Each structure stands twice: as structure tokens, then as C-alpha cells.
């Protein structure tokens, strides 16, 4: 079972490991085949949450419900790392010869998980169009591989181009106004559903 662990900097009734900021950063970036997993205290080893929660919007809603109970939702912003092609992760090649089959399958699953979650969130917030926002570069990232960390300048260029688009500029301006002067929407339980069980 893939249960996420939240490293909180605020009080919570949930059991959580005590850790330093660098340990939390290492745990959340421990992507298999690229970085080693990390053990914090006596807890089980941690790996990157992207394996099962690459888009953690449902986790955020569940946490907000636990923390704030019946308080209405003001705004939820989901920030992606660029759309990728699900078919972009193929089995042939040296990487896949040395990587375990389950890791290859997990990486392929990540490629579709983000947008699937986004679509479910859009349906959930259909009646509240000014409450849920998704920002995600939709062109240019498809051919980039997880191992191509050295080409950050291309990521920066695609992101800058995405932000210059009129519809994105308008969305950012609207988002800024909503965050500055939030208007309460529905409570989580009024949305009619809870997050999926994993």
C-alpha cells in the first residue's frame, strides 16, 4: 500500500517523524534510480512521493479537511512540472536494462497520474470555477527525460513561453486577485466526494 507521509511544520494530531528540513527535502526528492532512499529516525525508508502522489491535490484536500474541518475552501492551486507523454517511457535501451521492471512501470504510471488527477479535480470543482487552478506547461516538455536535469535552460524557456500566453497571463492575474481577497466557497464535504483510496 502506498500511503503518503506528510512532513509538517505545523501542529497536527497525526503521527509524523521529527526531521530536519534537509531530510524532508531528501525524502521528497528520492526518485528511484536517481537518488537513494533515506531513513529518518526509526521510520521506514522514504522515496519520492511522485511514485504514487505525483499530483497531491487530493492529499491537500484531505489535510485541509482534517485541519480546518467545516471551513469553506477559498482557493486551491495545483502547479505541475510540465505535461509528458505516457508513451515516452519505453522499455528498450540501456536505462531499462539496468532498471527494475517495476520502476519502469512506475515511471510510466507517473506520466499519466498528474493529468488524471487534474481532470478529477476539475470535475469536482465544476460548480466553483474560481476556486481550483492548475498551472502546467503543456508544450515542450514531452520529449525530456527524467535524467536530463542538465538542460534546465530549456525548461526555463518553455516555462517563460507558457507564462507569456494571454490566457495564462489572465489566469495569473485572476489568481492573484483571488488570493489577495479570497471569497469562501463550499466546504469540502459539500463537494460531494472525498479523495480516492489508494
Amino acid at each position: 500500500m502506498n500511503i503518503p507521509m506528510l512532513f509538517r511544520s505545523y501542529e497536527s494530531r497525526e503521527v509524523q517523524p521529527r526531521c530536519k528540513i534537509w531530510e524532508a527535502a531528501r525524502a521528497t526528492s528520492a526518485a528511484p534510480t536517481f537518488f537513494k532512499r533515506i531513513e529518518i529516525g526509526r521510520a521506514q525508508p522514504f522515496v519520492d512521493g511522485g511514485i504514487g502522489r505525483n499530483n497531491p491535490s487530493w492529499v491537500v484536500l484531505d489535510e485541509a479537511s482534517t485541519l480546518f474541518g467545516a471551513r469553506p475552501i477559498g482557493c486551491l492551486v495545483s502547479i505541475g512540472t510540465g505535461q509528458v507523454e505516457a508513451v515516452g517511457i519505453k522499455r528498450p535501451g540501456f536505462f531499462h536494462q539496468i532498471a527494475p521492471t517495476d520502476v519502469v512501470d512506475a515511471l510510466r504510471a507517473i506520466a499519466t497520474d498528474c493529468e488524471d488527477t487534474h481532470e478529477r479535480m476539475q470535475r469536482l470543482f465544476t460548480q466553483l470555477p474560481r476556486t481550483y487552478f492548475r498551472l502546467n506547461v503543456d508544450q515542450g516538455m514531452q520529449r525530456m527525460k527524467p535524467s536530463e536535469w542538465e538542460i534546465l535552460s530549456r525548461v526555463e524557456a518553455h516555462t517563460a513561453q507558457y507564462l507569456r500566453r494571454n490566457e495564462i497571463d489572465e489566469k495569473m492575474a485572476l489568481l492573484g486577485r483571488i488570493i489577495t481577497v479570497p471569497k469562501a466557497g463550499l466546504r469540502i464535504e459539500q463537494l460531494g466526494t472525498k479523495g480516492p483510496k489508494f
Side-chain angles (χ1 to χ4, degrees), residues 25 35 68-69 81 92 95 104 131 135 146 156 171 181 187 193 197:
F35 298 102
F68 306 118
T81 57
F95 169 75
V104 175
T131 302
L135 299 170
E156 183 178 356
K171 181 189 285 189
V181 186
R187 296 190 298 274
T193 185
K197 300 300 181 187

Side-chain angles (χ1 to χ4, degrees), residues 88-157:
I89 302 173
K90 299 181 175 138
R91 287 194 180 280
F94 177 72
F95 169 75
H96 300 100
Q97 290 173 6
I98 63 172
T101 302
D102 58 341
V103 171
V104 175
D105 291 339
L107 291 174
R108 185 180 285 109
I110 288 172
T112 56
D113 172 65
C114 286
E115 291 308 306
D116 287 348
T117 300
H118 165 57
E119 289 173 10
R120 290 199 304 270
M121 296 297 287
Q122 273 190 315
R123 288 193 296 272
L124 184 64
F125 285 96
T126 299
Q127 303 302 318
L128 298 168
R130 294 165 60 104
T131 302
Y132 170 71
F133 292 83
R134 172 78 168 163
L135 299 170
N136 195 29
V137 177
D138 55 1
Q139 293 297 325
M141 306 289 207
Q142 289 87 346
R143 300 296 180 193
M144 293 185 184
K145 299 175 183 176
S147 57
E148 295 179 325
W149 56 269
E150 71 278 5
I151 55 173
L152 292 178
S153 59
R154 283 175 54 193
V155 174
E156 183 178 356

